Amino acid sequence: MTKRDYFFGDRQGTFADKDKDVVVMRTEDAYRMAMKSMLRWVKKNMDPNKTRVFFTTMSPTHEKAIEWGGDEKGNCYNQTEMIDDANYWGSDCRKNVMNVIGEVFRKSRYPITLLNITQMSSYRKDAHTSIYKKQWSPLTPEQLVDPVSYADCTHWCLPGLQDTWNELLFAKLFYP
């Protein structure tokens, strides 16, 4: 296993405490703990006859163009087409974590509606704001000649992909 396969978490105390009981565990185990903790809170505080609970999966980034056959140093900058490989799964959206979320929710006695936006959003490397966003500090001359260095591959353009997420939520709300 690599360092990426582990979650380093603080299980007791606060960040201000000098003495912490830090536990090293697999990322999947950390997600499983978090999902079960959330489900306990939902079960204790929600009435399933009056309330529906939705859980939206993570939104992917497109920081590594090499993953979809692009330049080794590239990212979402200047991308104009979707990823057309139905089996594509970016490294920032880990399947094993998604499997844990699905597993925990399937076993739950409280109904949770899972809105899996991760896979469909993964195909949209072309939908990021890229360089077309407000820069909060002036770009350096080095950045200006290398747009890849400041392209925003985390946020999404409007209108666009988020509208699809809203359509999915609407469908699940009114057509469960």
Side-chain angles (χ1 to χ4, degrees):
M1 290 193 162
T2 65
K3 188 173 184 178
R4 178 182 148 83
D5 295 321
Y6 289 95
F7 169 80
F8 298 88
D10 180 11
R11 293 210 30 210
Q12 295 180 351
T14 67
F15 288 109
D17 291 343
K18 290 181 181 174
D19 296 321
K20 295 180 179 157
D21 181 13
V22 177
V23 176
V24 177
M25 65 180 68
R26 292 177 44 239
T27 303
E28 296 86 346
D29 295 333
Y31 266 86
R32 191 172 285 107
M33 281 177 53
M35 295 295 100
K36 287 180 178 181
S37 176
M38 182 198 74
L39 287 174
R40 281 192 300 275
W41 184 91
V42 165
K43 185 178 176 185
K44 180 180 175 187
N45 294 289
M46 301 290 201
D47 178 354
N49 297 315
K50 296 179 182 178
T51 309
R52 290 182 60 199
V53 177
F54 294 87
F55 183 87
T56 304
T57 59
M58 69 179 289
S59 169
T61 65
H62 293 94
E63 297 289 347
K64 300 175 184 173
I66 196 166
E67 291 183 353
W68 61 82
D71 185 280
E72 185 177 328
K73 295 180 181 174
N75 57 19
C76 70
Y77 172 68
N78 220 17
Q79 298 297 316
T80 59
E81 295 181 11
M82 292 175 48
I83 296 169
D84 62 0
D85 177 4
N87 296 313
Y88 174 77
W89 195 275
S91 64
D92 66 331
C93 303
R94 299 177 51 198
K95 257 187 187 175
N96 50 353
V97 170
M98 294 294 293
N99 290 337
V100 166
I101 294 168
E103 167 200 318
V104 171
F105 287 168
R106 275 190 302 280
K107 291 179 180 177
S108 170
R109 285 188 238 128
Y110 191 99
I112 306 283
T113 302
L114 180 64
L115 300 176
N116 184 352
I117 65 163
T118 306
Q119 186 65 40
M120 73 170 163
S121 304
S122 289
Y123 301 124
R124 294 303 310 273
K125 65 181 167 77
D126 60 319
H128 293 282
T129 57
S130 185
I131 61 170
Y132 306 102
K133 69 168 208 156
K134 178 175 176 54
Q135 302 296 329
W136 295 101
S137 40
L139 297 171
T140 66
E142 294 82 15
Q143 287 175 309
L144 288 170
V145 298
D146 183 18
V148 169
S149 69
Y150 66 92
D152 181 349
C153 298
T154 302
H155 298 95
W156 303 91
C157 291
L158 291 173
L161 186 58
Q162 303 92 321
D163 295 321
T164 306
W165 302 342
N166 290 335
E167 292 281 336
L168 181 61
L169 175 60
F170 178 84
K172 294 288 188 173
L173 274 171
F174 295 103
Y175 307 101

